[in-house]
Amino acid sequence: MAFLGAIGSQLSPLRESSSFLNTNTIIALTVFFALLCACIVVGHLLEENRWANESITALLLGLCAGGVVLLVSKFHSSHLLDFSEDLFFLYLLPPIIFNAGFQVKKKQFFKNFTTILLFGVFGTVISFCIISFGAFLLFKRIGISTLDVKDYLAVGAILSATDSVCTLQVLSQDETPFLYSIVFGEGVVNDATSIVLFYSVQSLDFSNINAGTALNLLGTFLYLFFTSTALGLSVGLISAYIIKTLYFGRHSTDREVALMMLMAYLSYMVAELLSLSGILTIFFCGIVMSHYTWHNVTESSRITTKHAFATISFIAETFIFLYVGMDAMDIEKWKISNASPGTSIIVSSTLLALVLLGRAAFVFPIANIKNCFQRTERTKIEFRKQFIIWWAGLMRGAVTIALCYNQFAESEESSTEESALMITSTIIVVLFSTVVFGSITKPLIEAMLLRHSKPSSSDAADTPSLEDLQLLFIENNDSSEQGNTQPVPRRSRLGLLISHPTTTVHYLWRKFDDRFMRPVFGGRGFVPFVPGSPSGVTDETC
């Protein structure tokens, strides 16, 4: 009801005093739910089509619906639903990010965590600098002269935000696990970094910039990253402990399902209340809940939560693209911009070129620098995968539009016309990147990777298995059977950490998790047996 209330509050003009319900609200909701149903049907029919996906389908249907509304209103208004940051950030984005953390293959994600942080943090900063500087140099030559330094920096932060939602639909976690974990994981960190950069730029006092400004920005980001992550982990562990200790399932499975949902959403709201990154908080809360909390509930609750989270996420994803598509047909912002088609194309092309350049400036260098520290060819990121990582991260989505509205919708420092031009140009970039780049990604992966499949150079690291590490950590081996009375010296943990850091950390975490964490917070292997409890549940733990 809160969700519908939020939608209704964004809709239309005046509530008729003689009507209990607003007719315009009912019409808008009817149209959107009908479009959601149409997206599901069309998406099902296009399931095997490698050129289309549900995000592109929803976007195109939104454009068509917006065009119809525009025609019905005789080109006076297309306002069925105004784009609202609150609606997007508080109601639509949280279930998508939570479900991604809940469903992510944790072992694969944390195996590539260093690469994800390099791309998501340092890469976003590099892209931010290039886009901001490029816009500053090129926009004045185009004729845009009223934007100030804060606007240019905001443009860099806005267009550095990748569309992690669309990534979920164009990459497969099963077919390309490495690419999925890298691109999506980077997208989550990237969104958080871009939002932090955006709000940091807005809070800067440009009349008093000194050498400490950059350090202040870095300190702010590190504070937000670690505190947001810690909050998500804490809420996830609290939910696991409560459900394990009280064991709601013996009375009502509805209560434990409701508690999981509410605590997940609570983590996001607390993060926003404390001015932290809700995206990082709810993502890591989802990871912890899938590792501990999910194993503490009954079998029926496991099935319910898994499908409920996926369903809510799917509806929110589809709604976002419908939302963006219909909002793109808002005739008022195009009239206010008062720009010729040529000017709009030039500005949009400039922004798109800066996005391409900004992403290439960090993907290829960081990947090749990382390759220099890999000992074998199998563990290196080959050029074809680097290209896919670059391409799949070019899509821009609702986060970009939401930040753009925040900066330019009610801008007082730049002219109204040029602010509207920045909004319309950003919408063009979002539409083009989603439809064109999104539709080409699947065929591109098939052409460059799947058709030339070989043992994965990044998915199967050339490192010893857990069993091998266990043998390395136990007491010294006695090789007297081979006639050698000297025991084989045991390798130190520091040596193993240096030679095989990822696998060693994974092994040490598993030992700590089994000995201390699972007895307290539950999880696989520590769930009390009840009739009907699942057997042989598979979970890829980290």
Side-chain angles (χ1 to χ4, degrees), residues 284-326:
F284 282 99
C285 181
I287 290 178
V288 172
M289 280 192 172
S290 70
H291 189 68
Y292 296 110
T293 313
W294 191 74
H295 293 279
N296 296 341
V297 299
T298 59
E299 181 179 12
S300 60
S301 294
R302 296 185 193 186
I303 297 172
T304 301
T305 52
K306 183 176 182 180
H307 291 288
F309 294 148
T311 302
I312 296 172
S313 173
F314 169 76
I315 293 175
E317 291 172 20
T318 308
F319 192 94
I320 284 175
F321 287 104
L322 280 173
Y323 200 31
V324 172
M326 293 193 71

Side-chain angles (χ1 to χ4, degrees), residues 177-193:
F178 172 74
L179 291 176
Y180 183 93
S181 64
I182 290 292
V183 177
F184 174 71
E186 176 220 336
V188 174
V189 179
N190 167 282
D191 285 346
T193 306

Side-chain angles (χ1 to χ4, degrees), residues 136-155:
F136 177 77
L137 292 179
L138 298 176
F139 276 11
K140 291 185 178 180
R141 297 185 179 183
I142 297 173
I144 300 176
S145 56
T146 60
L147 300 183
D148 57 17
V149 176
K150 182 178 291 188
D151 290 325
Y152 289 119
L153 292 177
V155 168

Side-chain angles (χ1 to χ4, degrees), residues 83-306:
F83 192 92
S84 166
E85 287 181 78
D86 290 342
L87 175 59
F88 172 70
F89 282 109
L90 297 181
Y91 298 100
L92 298 177
L93 190 60
I96 297 172
I97 302 300
F98 173 77
N99 183 65
F102 193 78
Q103 303 287 353
V104 74
K105 293 185 177 180
K106 298 181 289 296
K107 182 178 180 181
Q108 187 71 31
F109 177 80
F110 285 104
K111 176 182 176 181
N112 302 306
F113 193 63
T114 303
T115 307
I116 289 171
L117 284 183
L118 288 174
F119 284 151
V121 178
F122 293 103
T124 303
V125 172
I126 293 172
S127 177
F128 162 75
C129 294
I130 289 178
I131 294 175
S132 300
F133 185 68
F136 177 77
L137 292 179
L138 298 176
F139 276 11
K140 291 185 178 180
R141 297 185 179 183
I142 297 173
I144 300 176
S145 56
T146 60
L147 300 183
D148 57 17
V149 176
K150 182 178 291 188
D151 290 325
Y152 289 119
L153 292 177
V155 168
I158 289 167
L159 291 175
S160 294
T162 62
D163 186 9
S164 55
V165 175
C166 198
T167 301
L168 295 172
Q169 299 185 3
V170 298
L171 291 176
S172 171
Q173 190 168 200
D174 297 321
E175 293 180 354
T176 54
F178 172 74
L179 291 176
Y180 183 93
S181 64
I182 290 292
V183 177
F184 174 71
E186 176 220 336
V188 174
V189 179
N190 167 282
D191 285 346
T193 306
S194 298
I195 293 172
V196 169
L197 285 172
F198 179 79
Y199 288 114
S200 298
V201 166
Q202 288 192 322
S203 63
L204 282 179
D205 181 10
F206 286 89
S207 63
N208 186 26
I209 296 180
N210 50 47
T213 303
L215 292 177
N216 185 30
L217 282 175
L218 177 62
T220 300
F221 171 76
L222 292 176
Y223 165 77
L224 290 177
F225 181 86
F226 287 109
T227 51
S228 301
T229 301
L231 177 60
L233 298 177
S234 301
V235 174
L237 291 175
I238 290 172
S239 70
Y241 182 79
I242 291 175
I243 290 179
K244 175 179 179 292
T245 305
L246 301 180
Y247 197 59
F248 290 89
R250 68 174 179 263
H251 295 308
S252 171
T253 58
D254 296 337
R255 289 192 181 100
E256 56 188 5
V257 173
L259 187 63
M260 285 184 68
M261 290 183 173
L262 291 174
M263 291 202 70
Y265 190 71
L266 180 64
S267 70
Y268 185 89
M269 297 307 299
V270 171
E272 293 298 322
L273 184 65
L274 299 176
S275 299
L276 303 177
S277 172
I279 293 176
L280 284 175
T281 297
I282 200 168
F283 179 74
F284 282 99
C285 181
I287 290 178
V288 172
M289 280 192 172
S290 70
H291 189 68
Y292 296 110
T293 313
W294 191 74
H295 293 279
N296 296 341
V297 299
T298 59
E299 181 179 12
S300 60
S301 294
R302 296 185 193 186
I303 297 172
T304 301
T305 52
K306 183 176 182 180

Side-chain angles (χ1 to χ4, degrees), residues 239-537:
S239 70
Y241 182 79
I242 291 175
I243 290 179
K244 175 179 179 292
T245 305
L246 301 180
Y247 197 59
F248 290 89
R250 68 174 179 263
H251 295 308
S252 171
T253 58
D254 296 337
R255 289 192 181 100
E256 56 188 5
V257 173
L259 187 63
M260 285 184 68
M261 290 183 173
L262 291 174
M263 291 202 70
Y265 190 71
L266 180 64
S267 70
Y268 185 89
M269 297 307 299
V270 171
E272 293 298 322
L273 184 65
L274 299 176
S275 299
L276 303 177
S277 172
I279 293 176
L280 284 175
T281 297
I282 200 168
F283 179 74
F284 282 99
C285 181
I287 290 178
V288 172
M289 280 192 172
S290 70
H291 189 68
Y292 296 110
T293 313
W294 191 74
H295 293 279
N296 296 341
V297 299
T298 59
E299 181 179 12
S300 60
S301 294
R302 296 185 193 186
I303 297 172
T304 301
T305 52
K306 183 176 182 180
H307 291 288
F309 294 148
T311 302
I312 296 172
S313 173
F314 169 76
I315 293 175
E317 291 172 20
T318 308
F319 192 94
I320 284 175
F321 287 104
L322 280 173
Y323 200 31
V324 172
M326 293 193 71
D327 186 70
M329 298 304 295
D330 179 14
I331 193 66
E332 292 183 7
K333 65 171 68 72
W334 297 91
K335 288 180 178 179
I336 294 173
S337 67
N338 197 27
S340 65
T343 302
S344 296
I345 292 175
I346 291 174
V347 175
S348 303
S349 300
T350 301
L351 293 176
L352 189 61
L354 290 174
V355 169
L356 295 171
L357 179 62
R359 185 159 182 82
F362 74 83
V363 169
F364 297 107
I366 289 178
N368 283 286
I369 290 173
K370 184 177 182 299
N371 287 343
C372 294
F373 293 91
Q374 301 301 313
R375 296 187 175 186
T376 63
E377 291 295 326
R378 295 181 59 196
T379 58
K380 295 182 178 181
I381 307 175
E382 56 188 9
F383 177 77
R384 287 183 294 184
K385 291 191 174 183
Q386 295 177 25
F387 185 84
I388 296 296
I389 293 171
W390 170 73
W391 181 271
L394 293 175
M395 289 170 283
R396 298 296 180 264
V399 173
T400 298
I401 291 182
L403 295 179
C404 185
Y405 270 88
N406 183 293
Q407 178 66 23
F408 295 107
E410 298 178 357
S411 178
E412 298 178 354
E413 299 177 359
S414 56
S415 71
T416 304
E417 291 184 0
E418 294 192 349
S419 295
L421 177 60
M422 294 307 302
I423 293 175
T424 55
S425 299
T426 302
I427 289 175
I428 293 174
V429 171
V430 170
L431 295 177
F432 182 87
S433 63
T434 301
V435 174
V436 177
F437 297 153
S439 62
I440 296 177
T441 300
K442 283 184 179 179
L444 195 64
I445 291 175
E446 292 180 4
M448 297 189 69
L449 297 179
L450 300 182
R451 291 180 183 175
H452 304 86
S453 60
K454 59 181 181 179
S456 175
S457 61
S458 298
D459 295 343
D462 187 20
T463 53
S465 65
L466 288 179
E467 291 75 14
D468 294 334
L469 280 173
Q470 289 171 354
L471 292 175
L472 291 173
F473 277 120
I474 60 177
E475 62 271 4
N476 295 336
N477 295 324
D478 189 353
S479 52
S480 59
E481 295 181 0
Q482 282 77 21
N484 185 4
T485 57
Q486 292 294 111
V488 178
R490 182 178 58 179
R491 295 185 63 180
S492 67
R493 296 190 177 188
L494 179 60
L496 285 170
L497 186 62
I498 295 175
S499 60
H500 306 296
T502 303
T503 311
T504 305
V505 169
H506 183 207
Y507 168 75
L508 294 175
W509 161 250
R510 287 292 298 274
K511 285 189 64 177
F512 177 80
D513 190 31
D514 291 339
R515 182 174 298 179
F516 300 104
M517 298 296 288
R518 289 186 177 181
V520 176
F521 299 104
R524 187 177 61 180
F526 288 94
V527 183
F529 176 80
V530 294
S533 62
S535 58
V537 176

